Amino acid sequence: MAFAATVLTLYPEMFPGPLGQSLAGRALADGIWSLEAVQIRDFATDKHRSVDDTPAGGGAGMVMRADVLASAVDLVLERQRDAPMLAMTPRGEPLTQGLVREIASGPGISILCGRFEGIDERLFEARPIRPVSIGDYVLSGGETAAIALLDACVRLLPGVMGAPSSGEEESFEAGLLEYPHYTRPYEWEGRRIPEVLRSGDHAKIAAWRKQMAEADTRSRRPDLIERHGGARRRSPSGAQREDEG
Ligand code: ADE
């Protein structure tokens, strides 16, 4: 069965967007995954087809209505009973490679895209929806966040990535940023590729890469070091531990 993605949005024309190109686009055309964009406005009940209203307690902007969203959410939950539903919002838990892996290993995902100032909080109390954020910055809507999330999931689906091993060493898989990469020309603007990478000594290269990954993570992402202890936690077989991610 193909991985089934459903997006609930006020801007269905934004999909597939960039997901129609390159790796994800090819996988979509090949039927490895499917994508449906559901127009939230179709579930509005008044003559103006309104989906939002002014915030209770006052303040700027508009808030997405729980009743209208619930009608859209219920239809999608009914159609895709086994797929979890996320809502993209800066108020959500941070998206991690671990969560991406979890989603990609399941049957699919439904994603509610927030707009305006936010979503009426009662929707999250009343429906099984997990709020997720892609970072500590505010986008103009959840659609671009949904595209980022789907891109990260789709590339992990079986048959999507050219070389399966290229996913194993990449950033975050071992709680570290990935090591730096180099390619020809050997010398560019007076800078040479590190000699060790030309040595052909695979053990030495692996040790150098590990050292670089740890140094770069320490300087750029001390929060990752804090969280993972900076050590690669793989079993001798190379399998990841259950508690990782
Ligand atoms: N909507 C607006 N900003 C967002 C963010 N940082 N992550 C997810 N959804 C969003």
Side-chain angles (χ1 to χ4, degrees), residues 46-66:
D46 62 341
K47 69 171 192 277
H48 303 292
R49 303 224 301 156
S50 55
V51 294
D52 58 337
D53 211 328
T54 53
M62 300 291 272
V63 176
M64 293 179 92
R65 286 168 55 148

Side-chain angles (χ1 to χ4, degrees), residues 5 15 21 37 135 228:
F15 297 88
Q21 304 293 316
H228 295 273

Side-chain angles (χ1 to χ4, degrees), residues 185-192:
Y186 167 60
E187 186 171 329
W188 173 72
E189 293 192 350
R191 296 160 199 278
R192 293 183 181 154

Side-chain angles (χ1 to χ4, degrees), residues 146-164:
I147 288 168
L149 167 67
L150 287 172
D151 180 284
C153 291
V154 167
R155 63 189 287 283
L156 296 184
L157 299 177
V160 174
M161 256 195 299

